[in-house]
Amino acid sequence: MTPIRIRIGRGGRGRLSARILVSQLAILALTGVIGFALFAFAQRSALDRTYEERAVAIAKTTAADPQIRRAMQDGGGAVVQAVAERIRQSSGASYVVVIDLHGVRHSHPMPQLVGSPVAEPIVARDGQPHVGTDQGATGRSANGRVPLYGPTGELVGEVSVGIPERDVLGELWHELLTFAVYAAIATALGAAAAFLLARRLKRTTFGLELEEIAGLLQDREAMLHGIREGVLAFAPDGRISVVNDEARRLIGLGTALGSTLDEVLPDGRLRRALDGTLTGTDISVLTDEHCLVVNRMPVTLHGRALGAVVTVRDRTELVGLLRELDSVRGLTDALRAQQHEFTNRMHTLAGLLDIGAYDDAYDLAVESAGAGQALTEFVRGRIGNPLMVGLVVAKTTVAAERGVWVELADDSALGADPPQLRLLLTIVGNLLDNAIDAAGDGPPPADGRTVRLALTEDERGTTVRVADTGPGIPPGARESIFEDGWSTRPDRGTARRGLGLALVHRLVSRHGGTITVSEGPGAVFTVRLPAPAVRPKNRFAEALPVGGDRR
């Protein structure tokens, strides 16, 4: 079967991938800026805490100096300024200020402020260090304050140390520069990944835009669920990717998406037709409820296999009508032949009367009138149901026109109202048609072309046996003859072959019966139907066409 090849237009290719790339780059840039700002704020807070702790450490060192402690307990002096300035210069602090309990400065980087009071209160009276940000005479600084005790352990003041903010900002910018390099590298890698992803998406979507993809999806859903034909699509790994409502109804699938056929269908002709094991077009499959026609078509794009699409059509009503039409045509041919034979007899009778052979004319008339009636009475003597009698007589008439004699076994016995009558009519009709075809097509045996029918009924069920003098079943084909489409003869124009025996097999199996066939010349089909536990009120409950398909 010719694969389906998909061709996608190149108009507008790149727009979707470009939009995706631009969007991803914008997202990367936005997240990078936000991350950089958050990192800057977090790092600034961390550096402030670090420098405040450093200021406290310098202040503690100053407060522990013995010269400053003695001088402040004695009332201060020039030694406090000298020692504080030395510590300030060695530590890199912006100021080291020693303050007594009255708030008077005894040291300051600006000598003119020594001896002047501070505006802030003394916070170290509680004996604990304090940190914060100070906006003093030397500018904004990270500030640390600790209590100052004299040699006797008496609180004599506090030491306030500040580290200039420019030192904090300098280290912050140094760290942010390193982080900016890392962020730039990460952004570049993200942009490269976004570009590759955009190219992959472009290949995956065959260059289609988002609006086109949405439109295709809407059209697909409308088409799949609007057509009266089952549609299934399979991915390259054999899993079902698409299934519409009609396919679920015809095949009996439940939640099948993402599953393989092995998981949702039992082994049989239907599964082999769907998975491609059976090749060809218009593959006939007979299920318990439908006669289906299955076609499977592989799908490729640019030489790449994308799976397959399977269409399933319901031909149940059409096949039933064709089978009935086929039976009607057979009966019409038989009636036409009987009319021709009757005309010949009338001409013969008229000739006998013209020549005065009245006794011979009388014998011919009696024989002509009683031949058909004798056949009907013989069948009625063994079969009580009129529908079955009519079927057997009609098949006998059709067979006679083909040179085949249908014999009803002497031990046949069927009541007037047998159980599962419609089912029995279907089985007998199909088996007789197949036997007549087989006997009529084969070379005539010594005792003539014959089909033997036996119908027996007892309290346990009904037995149907049909034997013919045809070529029989080929060796090794005993099981395959009951598969849909199996036939030894070509299709005719009105009816598809290979369904009659499959239909009989399914009906018998569904009702708990058995069917067997002999191999070799002269096939013998034996069907055993068990008596139903509950007799149906409507004896025509099995609404199936009677006309048999030809083998």
Side-chain angles (χ1 to χ4, degrees), residues 205-248:
T205 58
F206 307 110
L208 293 175
E209 299 301 319
L210 293 177
E211 297 80 5
E212 295 172 331
I213 295 175
L216 287 176
L217 178 61
Q218 294 175 355
D219 295 341
R220 190 200 75 164
E221 291 299 313
M223 178 189 67
L224 287 178
H225 298 288
I227 62 176
R228 298 295 298 172
E229 186 170 290
V231 178
L232 296 93
F234 295 91
D237 60 356
R239 296 190 176 276
I240 300 175
S241 57
V242 174
V243 56
N244 68 345
D245 297 335
E246 186 68 6
R248 296 180 191 273

Side-chain angles (χ1 to χ4, degrees), residues 526-542:
T526 303
V527 175
R528 177 66 180 173
L529 290 176
V534 178
R535 197 178 185 89
K537 295 181 180 180
N538 183 6
R539 58 178 178 171
F540 296 103
E542 293 289 341

Side-chain angles (χ1 to χ4, degrees), residues 154-171:
E154 179 185 359
L155 181 66
V156 295
E158 74 175 9
V159 177
S160 176
V161 175
I163 297 178
E165 186 180 29
R166 62 178 178 272
D167 293 348
V168 180
L169 294 177
E171 187 169 349

Side-chain angles (χ1 to χ4, degrees), residues 335-346 401:
L335 291 175
R336 187 181 296 112
Q338 285 187 337
Q339 180 187 9
H340 181 73
E341 179 65 21
F342 180 77
T343 302
N344 290 336
R345 289 178 178 270
M346 291 299 100
E401 299 306 321

